[in-house]
Amino acid sequence: MEPDRPTAFRFEGRAQAADAGETLLQHLSRRGLPILQRSIRYHRPRAPLCGIGHCTSCLVRVNGQPNVRACRYVPSPADSVTLSNGWPSTRYDLMGLLDLVFPRGLDTLHGFRRPAWATPWYQRVVRRLAGYGPIAPDSPPTVPSPVPAVELDTLVLGAGPAGRQACTRLQEAGRAVAILDRGPIPAPPPGVTLFPRTTAVFLPPPRSGAGRPFEMVTLEEPDHGRLVRATTVIAATGAYDASLLFAGNDRPGVMTAEAALAMAPGDRSPPFRRALLVGGGARAAEMLDRFGVHTEAVVAPGAISPEVTRRASELSIPLYPRTLVIEATGRSRIRRVRLRARGGGAEFSVSVDAVVLAHRRLPHNQLLFQSGAQMQWRGTAGGYFPVLGPGSQTSVPGLYAVGEVAGFADGVAAEASAFAAADAILGRSVPPPVERAPDGPHELEGYYRELLTIPTGWQKQVLCPCEDVLVREVREAVAHGYRGLEVIKRYTGLGTGLCQGRYCLPDGLLLLSILEGRPPPEVGYIRQRPPVIPTPLGALAGLPVPASEGG
Ligand code: FES
């Protein structure tokens, strides 16, 4: 068979040849950490943070279309890729001089309300200055072709191990089942209908009395929408690596474990030489297995597990349990990280060119919130999880949650939850719900309380990298009397960026809990609005009107 040929395309006018199937980010990372973006408002250089297509740190323009994520985009022959913003480049951005004039950032949300006729003009200018980049060129209007609704018995959302196990169990019992996933579907269960590269972007509460009560909208990227009706739904949407607050936490080189893996597929070297690994649990152990020779030190907000200790000592890597990450310094790439033992210990620093975050996994729970499922704050895990009955059933009849999104991180427990959901759908007897360990505060609550007492000087602690919202702004909002996550969101813009709050809201919740002096569940949460990933309006144009809307 002929080997896959490289793809020839252009990046910033220069000819490139990417391996077949390689994402743009993987291609560019071969030559080091790419800086693809300047942040809006503060023009801060940004390199990939998440690696899974949710943050705003790798947006490029492809053939003139903005907001294409380099970590998900696979170049096609003859594509022309350019950077979105930054002038003359993302590495040296003269627009950053504006920050000397507007040290608190350009106000793209509130400014210039009067006279009303000038507001659109002002908005256009200020958004360009802030770094949003030009909008997409107009394309000729088209009449959308009608797209029929897809009717299904059971739809599984997510093709990780738990989703596939539930699927296989149902299919073996003769049930018609389909599975979707935002990426390709590895090792698909035989006989199952597949929707690869597809995301459920809206899962409203079910219609009572309907034959197929779940009526959801899915998006096959880039722009193929579908209306899907299903009798039962299993949410197996998994979890992701969270961000962490410290001064300079958005500097190029700070990345989640998922981003490190995305930039170094297989056994390829990562785009860093010596990293500080943050985390003391199973995820950190995984990262040591993969990037041990590139790890300078391991630091954790709390204790470090024996598993991590054993691996690190085999590689003579120093360990710093119960230690604060105070600050990362270095302009276009981090050079040094300042640390301090918790409880008022002495400060010290390590020279590194990356910080890999592997300290906390959070559930992709947006669809569960949308569906109206009852959610519960679990302090020890630091996130909201669905309240489950027997058979992994949520409080919404016909909606099940399995695997990491349901709080089962361990493989055995995740498999048990998947089989329980499948058995419940098949009408078999199911075990009672798993007894949870007693809850308590998350270790980051005390950690952040301590961190907030340390002055950050001129350095910025970025809470919301998408919208450049700083910790300082949230503190000021609280000092002005604003209370609760939803109110703070509306006032500061926190959680309104492309990641839909995945990276800022969990830390924002802990931060507000400390500042307001009340537990996280009392701080509340935001109203989770659709879509869960950016969806072009054209993808929705040909869909049937949902029955719940009178169609
Ligand atoms: S690194 Fe691509 S979206 Fe986050």
Side-chain angles (χ1 to χ4, degrees):
M1 204 168 82
E2 192 184 332
D4 287 327
R5 305 243 307 268
T7 306
F9 69 105
R10 297 191 87 76
F11 178 71
E12 288 286 274
R14 286 189 294 279
Q16 307 277 324
D19 280 0
E22 187 177 56
T23 64
L24 177 64
L25 179 58
Q26 287 166 352
H27 173 71
L28 297 176
S29 304
R30 288 177 183 276
R31 277 164 290 165
L33 185 71
I35 297 177
L36 296 172
Q37 190 77 31
R38 281 278 166 166
S39 74
I40 58 169
R41 293 183 71 202
Y42 293 112
H43 306 94
R44 292 168 71 80
R46 294 274 167 81
L49 166 69
C50 77
I52 54 169
H54 283 303
C55 73
T56 36
S57 298
C58 74
L59 302 180
V60 293
R61 300 175 78 91
V62 176
N63 304 326
Q65 291 298 317
N67 298 337
V68 177
R69 285 169 153 137
C71 64
R72 294 191 54 77
Y73 154 70
V74 176
S76 297
D79 272 356
S80 171
V81 183
T82 53
L83 297 170
S84 299
N85 63 7
W87 187 81
S89 73
T90 47
R91 206 165 268 276
Y92 307 100
D93 181 18
L94 288 180
M95 290 295 216
L97 294 174
L98 283 170
D99 299 346
L100 301 175
V101 185
F102 301 99
R104 297 178 68 84
L106 284 160
D107 185 351
T108 57
L109 297 175
H110 310 98
F112 214 83
R113 294 261 181 253
R114 298 281 185 276
W117 58 264
T119 301
W121 171 84
Y122 167 82
Q123 288 290 336
R124 203 171 310 136
V125 172
V126 83
R127 287 174 71 86
R128 287 294 286 274
L129 290 179
Y132 282 90
I135 59 172
D138 279 344
S139 41
T142 51
V143 178
S145 316
V147 181
V150 179
E151 308 273 338
L152 297 169
D153 284 351
T154 298
L155 178 61
V156 180
L157 309 176
R164 290 207 305 276
Q165 282 152 352
C167 238
T168 304
R169 184 85 141 209
L170 288 165
Q171 198 276 333
E172 284 171 355
R175 180 96 179 184
V177 57
I179 188 168
L180 63 72
D181 197 275
R182 198 171 178 206
I185 299 181
V192 168
T193 305
L194 307 178
F195 296 104
R197 304 184 195 287
T198 301
T199 308
V201 296
F202 183 30
L203 177 61
R207 294 171 298 140
S208 61
R212 298 193 197 282
F214 293 98
E215 195 171 51
M216 73 201 88
V217 178
T218 67
L219 173 72
E220 182 180 341
E221 292 178 60
D223 55 9
H224 184 159
R226 288 190 190 92
L227 183 70
V228 177
R229 298 194 179 108
T231 312
T232 49
V233 172
I234 299 177
T237 43
Y240 62 99
D241 294 302
S243 50
L244 184 70
L245 295 180
F246 52 92
N249 57 342
D250 64 330
R251 292 281 181 212
V254 178
M255 65 187 81
T256 64
E258 279 158 333
L261 292 170
M263 286 188 273
D267 56 3
R268 195 197 285 179
S269 292
F272 50 79
R273 280 177 291 123
R274 305 296 288 169
L276 177 70
L277 176 61
V278 181
R283 188 63 164 161
E286 259 180 67
M287 290 304 105
L288 277 179
D289 283 346
R290 178 65 184 82
F291 300 120
V293 294
H294 297 282
T295 302
E296 179 71 22
V298 178
V299 62
I304 291 181
S305 72
E307 203 184 353
V308 173
T309 305
R310 182 178 58 73
R311 285 171 166 84
S313 51
E314 280 166 11
L315 294 162
S316 305
I317 298 170
L319 298 170
Y320 301 107
R322 291 189 51 76
T323 298
L324 298 169
V325 179
I326 299 174
E327 177 184 35
T329 53
R331 180 146 179 81
S332 56
R333 180 76 188 256
I334 64 167
R335 299 274 169 244
R336 186 169 285 274
V337 176
R338 201 150 63 89
L339 305 168
R340 186 168 105 180
R342 292 184 60 184
E347 270 187 37
F348 59 102
S349 63
V350 286
S351 294
V352 291
D353 61 354
V355 174
V356 176
L357 302 171
H359 60 292
R360 183 185 186 196
R361 297 273 294 168
L362 289 166
H364 286 292
N365 54 18
Q366 295 76 14
L367 290 171
L368 293 166
F369 271 108
Q370 283 179 11
S371 71
Q374 192 185 345
M375 304 295 282
Q376 186 177 44
W377 170 257
R378 294 223 334 256
T380 42
Y384 277 100
F385 293 86
V387 175
L388 295 182
S392 306
Q393 164 101 42
T394 70
S395 62
V396 173
L399 176 62
Y400 302 80
V402 302
E404 277 193 285
V405 73
F408 301 111
D410 160 85
V412 176
E415 181 183 74
S417 72
F419 288 157
D423 287 345
I425 291 171
L426 294 167
R428 298 174 179 166
S429 68
V430 291
V434 176
E435 286 287 323
R436 301 278 187 190
D439 202 18
H442 192 262
E443 66 181 14
L444 283 182
E445 286 186 43
Y447 176 94
Y448 282 156
R449 189 169 285 116
E450 215 173 320
L451 189 73
L452 288 176
T453 63
I454 300 174
T456 55
W458 58 270
Q459 273 268 43
K460 292 181 170 67
Q461 277 173 321
V462 180
L463 178 56
C464 173
C466 297
E467 294 292 313
D468 257 2
V469 179
L470 308 181
V471 168
R472 185 196 70 211
E473 291 169 76
V474 172
R475 296 180 87 156
E476 287 169 0
V478 172
H480 283 112
Y482 294 93
R483 290 286 182 277
L485 197 59
E486 178 70 40
V487 172
I488 295 290
K489 172 191 153 186
R490 290 170 192 227
Y491 183 68
T492 63
L494 177 75
T496 58
L498 287 187
C499 87
Q500 294 281 289
R502 276 180 180 79
Y503 291 95
C504 58
L505 294 179
D507 279 333
L509 188 61
L510 296 179
L511 182 64
L512 285 178
S513 162
I514 295 163
L515 297 175
E516 295 181 11
R518 50 184 182 154
E522 286 182 29
V523 175
Y525 206 62
I526 60 151
R527 184 156 179 192
Q528 194 75 56
R529 297 176 197 280
V532 301
I533 59 167
T535 303
L537 286 176
L540 311 177
L543 302 187
V545 178
S548 52
E549 302 292 330

